[in-house]
Amino acid sequence: MDSRRFGKYIVEREVLDEQRLEEITQRKTYSDNQSSLTERLKDSLRCTVPKLKHSIMSSLPVLYWLPKYSVWDYGMPDLISGISVGIMHLPQGLAYAMLASVPPVFGLYSSLYPALIYFFFGTSRHISIGTFTVLSIMVGSVTERLAPDVNFLIQNGTNVTAEVNITARDSYRVQVAVATTVLGGLIQVALGLVKFGFVGTYLSEPLVRAYTTAASAHAVVAQLKYIFGVSPTRFSGPFSMVYTLKDVCSLLPHTHLPTLVVSAVSMVLLIAAKELNSFISPKLPVPIPVELITIVAGTLISAYSHLNRNYTISVVGEIPSGLSPPSVPDASLFGEVIGDAFALAMVGYAISISLGKTFALKHGYKVDSNQELVALGLSNAVGGFFQCFSVCSSMSRSLIQETTGGKTQMAAVASSLIVLVTILKLGPLFQELPKAVLAAIVFVNLKGMFKQHSDIVTLWKRSKIDLMVWLVTWVSTLLLNLDLGLAASILFALLTVIFRTQMPTYSVLGNVPGTELYVDMETHREARDVPGVTIFRSSATVYFANADLYIEALKEKSGLDISKMIIYKKRQEAKQRRRERRAERRAKRQAKKERRVAHRAAKHLSGAPVFSVEEEAGSWRNTCVDGDVTDRDVTDREQQGCTERENGTVFIIPTTPRTPDRWEYLKGGEPDCTSLGSISELQEGDTTTLDSSSDDTLSRDLDSSSDDTLSRDLERISLGSLGKWSWDIHSIIIDLSTANFIDIVAIKTIRNIIHDFSEIDVDIYIAGCQAPVVEQLELGDFFSETITKRSLFVSVHDAVLYCLNHRGATSIPRYEPSVDTYDGTKL
């Protein structure tokens, strides 16, 4: 690529370590950045007019936008949008109440009160609060588990009939639904008040889409009894959907044909009308209310044909007109539904905040996640006192509200008026509506969720881990029911995050020629290694869960099995000490023997004052022979030792001032005694002999003062079982630019790495630490007399330049661009 497209630049500055950077930038201390707890408490309790105004505005967002509301600009679009959404509320409220296993009128209540509450507290301008498929089926699983039909069989004296007391059953199911809804709302409010709005981020998009897809399957199974006109046994708990589906299949021979015909005709008409609506909707100002037309047509046909009386087709039944007074939920049920309430709170919030942020991004405004959690919680909690079941935003209604021109939540007020009029005046008109028509509406509206199965193909191409999250969520929700399935899905999703941090990508970086950039050498052909330096980087933060793996990866990438090398070094040091002690003892014995010989010779000379020349020469020759025998004995033993270990391995520990701890294994060819003798006389080092069975040894460059003969006889070999070792490495740079935090375990791990590698004379440098990581290192007592901020560098390139200069490198990578300026300004 032509470099002139972006230009070039040159930066001329000194090599910066962390201490020098703090001196230049005058970094603030931790106490400067963080006020004391007392000051923060005083500031939170201090009340000022701007602070009070901000608190009220943030708690009641309607006070912010309502005074600025323009009737001329927003009035008509909001009215048209509200009427369209209100018309959709009617069939969906009636149909989704059946999913929640409560009378249809309570679906209308759930479409009225929560939307009005959200009008005051919500921050999204386009989402439509009301009944939703997934939440309705979740509520239905709770109500049917705690209020099954078998608990409400009519008793005639001592006999129990198969007839169910529907009034008592529905009344108790409403209590269960209300208790679950209120508790879920209180959970949402509590989480919002403690600023826990981010909890919804733990429900990733693949998880939510898979969960709603599996929940739609539960909704389909729940509606089969209305489609086929059968009465299967309702199961609860794990594998309940499988058992219910099996029971429905066994009852298919007993299908009520008139009900099946109504269901089939309704589905065909709905599908055809929706396809036609999607085709011509761009040419229409508002979409055709297909569901409402179907309900009206079904009610008229049923009423004039007397389908319930003539063909025993099940109908909605009595719908009371008017609003019911508020009532306090049964708190004794809270303990039995707390798990379901928490699941409802999380799923409802995740769906609402995802839709709200989508519309906010599209239209350029901000949605407060914590306030959304409070608003949704109040909608559920307050609505529960008016016999509403759990609600959240609906994708279909929200899209209608946005596409028909809705600008604010005034559209929700208009839709609530439509629902209110229906409850007060039009409710009794729908008493003859067949339940099969409502079931058909549910079936057709689930088409979009069933299309989400195509996510499998998309995720297979993009991310296998997200695909695993999708599949595990889908399977667990289908088999374990909605509450346990959600818990298992969240747990698995968190495990994938932990797994990815425990198994990150470890890489050795190389320099891009002509730049200060460093990239993975395994994935970039043009990357060049830095002489004598290994640059190690992990793609994840180092913390307690992956600290041990981090060390193992560092050993593997650097080629230094430091643990075994230190063990061998300690062994050789112990052998060296034992050898020195033996040599010292031999020297003492030799000195003692020489003193005895000298004493004997002196005594012999003093006892014979007169000798001839021949006798004196013979005596002196005998004395010299005795002395020579002693020296020859030592020499013979040394020669014998050389012969016995001529195929052994020599271990040299030089003690030069430059490298006091440098040590090396050297494999001997056939060293002669002269060579070994010359080595033993060197002041810089000493020699010892390893077991000849040792196949793998350490090697390093010999000191310049080593004998040339020994250099020819000794050959460098690899460690073998001890791990690969390249003596060209004198420095390791640990790149922590990917770390956003560091814990106590990671601090100890890095400190141990520095200490262990110093044992073999390899320097450790740290580069790229962010400011919070440096602060955590300070708080964790990482720095000491031997480990200072001088070993922390602002970038990898700074560390490379320093360590190469420090260790006397022959070649240093330099950045020398041909263009010295960028946009005419020298950097």
Side-chain angles (χ1 to χ4, degrees):
M1 185 174 58
D2 188 3
S3 61
R4 290 175 297 179
R5 179 180 176 186
F6 299 103
K8 293 184 178 181
Y9 69 92
I10 182 170
V11 177
E12 184 177 345
R13 64 171 174 82
E14 61 180 305
V15 175
L16 293 177
D17 55 36
E18 192 63 36
Q19 182 171 337
R20 179 57 180 159
L21 179 66
E22 292 181 2
E23 294 174 357
I24 296 175
T25 60
Q26 298 295 314
R27 184 171 69 89
K28 296 179 180 179
T29 62
Y30 180 79
S31 58
D32 294 334
N33 292 327
Q34 299 291 335
S35 57
S36 63
L37 179 61
T38 305
E39 292 177 355
R40 292 199 299 267
L41 185 61
K42 289 181 179 179
D43 184 66
S44 62
L45 297 177
R46 187 178 295 113
C47 182
T48 60
V49 174
K51 188 175 181 180
L52 179 63
K53 180 179 178 181
H54 179 268
S55 299
I56 295 176
M57 291 293 185
S58 60
S59 300
L60 284 171
V62 66
L63 298 179
Y64 174 77
W65 60 267
L66 188 58
K68 304 177 183 179
Y69 186 80
S70 175
V71 178
W72 297 105
D73 295 333
Y74 300 149
M76 187 56 65
D78 283 341
L79 180 62
I80 295 174
S81 176
I83 294 174
S84 302
V85 174
I87 291 173
M88 290 187 67
H89 267 302
L90 299 179
Q92 290 185 2
L94 295 172
Y96 294 161
M98 295 174 58
L99 289 176
S101 299
V102 294
V105 69
F106 293 97
L108 297 179
Y109 294 158
S110 302
S111 302
L112 172 62
Y113 295 106
L116 295 176
I117 299 298
Y118 186 83
F119 169 81
F120 292 98
F121 297 96
T123 58
S124 176
R125 304 174 188 173
H126 295 91
I127 64 174
S128 174
I129 297 296
T131 56
F132 186 61
T133 313
V134 176
L135 295 192
S136 299
I137 190 62
M138 292 176 71
V139 173
S141 65
V142 181
T143 55
E144 295 197 7
R145 185 184 77 240
L146 298 181
D149 291 341
V150 294
N151 292 352
F152 299 94
L153 298 178
I154 297 177
Q155 294 184 356
N156 187 7
T158 57
N159 298 325
V160 179
T161 64
E163 186 177 357
V164 178
N165 188 346
I166 296 178
T167 303
R169 181 201 65 184
D170 290 347
S171 176
Y172 189 70
R173 285 183 176 178
V174 169
Q175 294 182 31
V176 172
V178 166
T180 307
T181 301
V182 171
L183 184 57
L186 293 176
I187 291 174
Q188 290 174 328
V189 172
L191 293 177
L193 292 177
V194 297
K195 310 300 180 182
F196 217 65
F198 67 89
V199 71
T201 59
Y202 289 105
L203 301 179
S204 63
E205 182 180 354
L207 188 149
V208 173
R209 290 177 68 87
Y211 186 81
T212 55
T213 304
S216 64
H218 282 273
V220 168
V221 173
Q223 297 303 300
L224 290 178
K225 59 182 179 180
Y226 301 112
I227 296 293
F228 295 100
V230 295
S231 300
T233 304
R234 181 71 180 186
F235 299 91
S236 61
F239 302 99
S240 60
M241 192 187 77
V242 178
Y243 299 141
T244 302
L245 186 61
K246 179 181 177 182
D247 196 21
V248 170
C249 293
S250 65
L251 294 175
L252 287 181
H254 306 286
T255 300
H256 190 245
L257 292 180
T259 301
L260 181 61
V261 170
V262 172
S263 302
V265 171
S266 300
M267 277 193 266
V268 170
L269 293 177
L270 280 170
I271 293 174
K274 280 183 173 289
E275 293 297 326
L276 179 63
N277 194 17
S278 62
F279 180 74
I280 65 175
S281 58
K283 304 176 182 179
L284 299 176
V286 293
I288 301 175
V290 178
E291 290 91 349
L292 183 61
I293 294 174
T294 304
I295 286 178
V296 172
T299 303
L300 293 176
I301 294 173
S302 176
Y304 286 101
S305 301
H306 304 288
L307 296 180
N308 183 27
R309 185 177 61 190
N310 296 334
Y311 301 100
T312 64
I313 294 177
S314 179
V315 296
V316 170
E318 181 182 0
I319 298 179
S321 60
L323 300 175
S324 59
S327 61
V328 179
D330 188 359
S332 62
L333 295 173
F334 285 173
E336 299 181 68
V337 300
I338 184 170
D340 304 279
F342 186 81
L344 284 165
M346 292 298 99
V347 174
Y349 172 68
I351 295 171
S352 297
I353 195 64
S354 60
L355 278 177
K357 288 185 176 181
T358 300
F359 290 122
L361 182 63
K362 181 178 179 180
H363 294 277
Y365 62 91
K366 184 180 179 181
V367 171
D368 187 348
S369 58
N370 293 312
Q371 183 60 30
E372 281 295 295
L373 195 53
V374 172
L376 190 61
L378 289 175
S379 299
N380 282 309
V382 176
F385 285 90
F386 293 92
Q387 289 79 49
C388 301
F389 56 84
S390 292
V391 297
C392 69
S393 62
S394 168
M395 183 178 297
S396 59
R397 293 194 308 270
S398 299
L399 286 175
I400 293 298
Q401 182 168 327
E402 190 258 347
T403 55
T404 53
K407 302 297 183 181
T408 66
Q409 282 298 324
M410 288 297 293
V413 176
S415 63
S416 299
L417 292 176
I418 300 295
V419 177
L420 179 61
V421 171
T422 303
I423 294 174
L424 295 178
K425 300 297 181 180
L426 304 179
L429 300 178
F430 296 104
Q431 293 181 0
E432 294 297 324
L433 175 64
K435 291 183 178 180
V437 175
L438 296 177
I441 293 175
V442 172
F443 255 78
V444 175
N445 285 339
L446 291 175
K447 182 183 68 172
M449 291 189 180
F450 283 122
K451 286 183 178 180
Q452 293 179 160
H453 285 95
S454 61
D455 291 349
I456 297 176
V457 178
T458 304
L459 293 176
W460 173 263
K461 298 177 182 178
R462 295 180 180 177
S463 174
K464 301 298 189 297
I465 295 181
D466 287 335
L467 175 62
M468 288 298 299
V469 172
W470 199 99
L471 293 175
V472 169
T473 302
W474 185 77
V475 173
S476 61
T477 305
L478 284 179
L479 299 181
L480 301 180
N481 216 340
L482 296 173
D483 49 356
L484 295 178
L486 179 63
S489 304
I490 295 176
L491 180 61
F492 181 79
L494 294 178
L495 287 177
T496 60
V497 176
I498 296 174
F499 174 78
R500 279 185 273 193
T501 59
Q502 281 191 307
M503 304 296 292
T505 300
Y506 298 104
S507 55
V508 174
L509 306 184
N511 179 253
V512 179
T515 71
E516 79 289 359
L517 304 178
Y518 294 83
V519 294
D520 188 358
M521 295 183 61
E522 294 183 359
T523 57
H524 297 80
R525 295 188 182 92
E526 294 300 322
R528 298 291 181 263
D529 61 337
V530 181
V533 179
T534 295
I535 307 169
F536 179 74
R537 182 176 67 187
S538 170
S539 61
T541 298
V542 187
Y543 69 113
F544 69 92
N546 61 6
D548 293 338
L549 299 175
Y550 189 86
I551 296 179
E552 295 300 323
L554 178 59
K555 293 178 182 178
E556 179 183 354
K557 293 293 184 180
S558 65
L560 306 178
D561 195 341
I562 187 66
S563 301
K564 291 184 178 180
M565 293 169 68
I566 291 177
I567 291 174
Y568 267 87
K569 179 184 177 182
K570 291 182 178 178
R571 288 180 180 176
Q572 299 313 312
E573 289 175 346
K575 288 183 180 180
Q576 175 71 10
R577 288 192 295 269
R578 291 195 299 269
R579 184 181 155 285
E580 290 175 355
R581 287 195 296 269
R582 288 196 299 267
E584 184 179 355
R585 289 195 297 269
R586 284 197 301 268
K588 289 181 179 179
R589 288 196 300 268
Q590 182 66 22
K592 187 176 182 181
K593 181 181 289 188
E594 290 177 354
R595 285 195 300 271
R596 286 199 304 266
V597 170
H599 180 70
R600 241 187 350 262
K603 185 177 181 181
H604 179 69
L605 290 174
S606 62
V610 179
F611 289 97
S612 64
V613 175
E614 292 81 8
E615 291 176 344
E616 184 176 358
S619 300
W620 183 256
R621 187 183 305 111
N622 292 336
T623 304
C624 293
V625 168
D626 292 340
D628 290 340
V629 169
T630 303
D631 294 336
R632 189 179 299 112
D633 290 341
V634 177
T635 305
D636 291 342
R637 284 193 295 269
E638 291 180 354
Q639 294 288 351
Q640 182 181 0
C642 294
T643 304
E644 289 176 355
R645 66 191 180 197
E646 62 182 359
N647 294 324
T649 302
V650 179
F651 175 64
I652 300 176
I653 310 179
T655 57
T656 61
R658 181 176 178 80
T659 56
D661 296 330
R662 186 165 294 184
W663 55 289
E664 53 196 53
Y665 285 100
L666 296 172
K667 184 175 182 180
E670 293 183 356
D672 57 8
C673 296
T674 305
S675 300
L676 295 179
S678 63
I679 294 174
S680 64
E681 294 173 359
L682 294 175
Q683 295 180 357
E684 288 81 9
D686 203 351
T687 63
T688 187
T689 302
L690 298 178
D691 188 1
S692 60
S693 62
S694 176
D695 295 328
D696 302 313
T697 56
L698 270 174
S699 65
R700 270 202 172 178
D701 297 332
L702 292 172
D703 191 271
S704 59
S705 63
S706 298
D707 188 83
D708 293 338
T709 305
L710 179 64
S711 300
R712 291 192 300 268
D713 293 336
L714 300 177
E715 60 176 340
R716 184 185 302 178
I717 67 167
S718 63
L719 277 172
S721 62
L722 299 182
K724 226 180 241 185
W725 172 257
S726 173
W727 289 110
D728 292 333
I729 298 176
H730 56 70
S731 302
I732 295 177
I733 298 174
I734 298 177
D735 183 7
L736 292 183
S737 59
T738 58
N740 58 350
F741 73 93
I742 191 167
D743 60 3
I744 296 298
V745 177
I747 292 175
K748 291 182 179 178
T749 299
I750 297 177
R751 187 187 294 119
N752 291 337
I753 289 174
I754 296 175
H755 176 269
D756 291 344
F757 277 91
S758 66
E759 294 286 332
I760 59 171
D761 195 34
V762 174
D763 296 333
I764 301 294
Y765 302 94
I766 301 174
C769 289
Q770 303 179 32
V773 175
V774 177
E775 292 180 357
Q776 291 166 7
L777 290 174
E778 293 175 343
L779 296 175
D781 295 332
F782 175 76
F783 300 107
S784 61
E785 295 181 357
T786 57
I787 305 174
T788 65
K789 291 185 178 180
R790 292 294 185 185
S791 60
L792 270 68
F793 292 88
V794 297
S795 69
V796 172
H797 197 59
D798 288 87
V800 169
L801 295 177
Y802 174 82
C803 69
L804 288 181
N805 282 303
H806 178 65
R807 298 303 292 258
T810 58
S811 62
I812 301 175
R814 300 183 182 276
Y815 179 46
E816 298 177 350
S818 58
V819 180
D820 296 336
T821 59
Y822 181 72
D823 289 342
T825 304
K826 188 174 181 180
L827 302 179

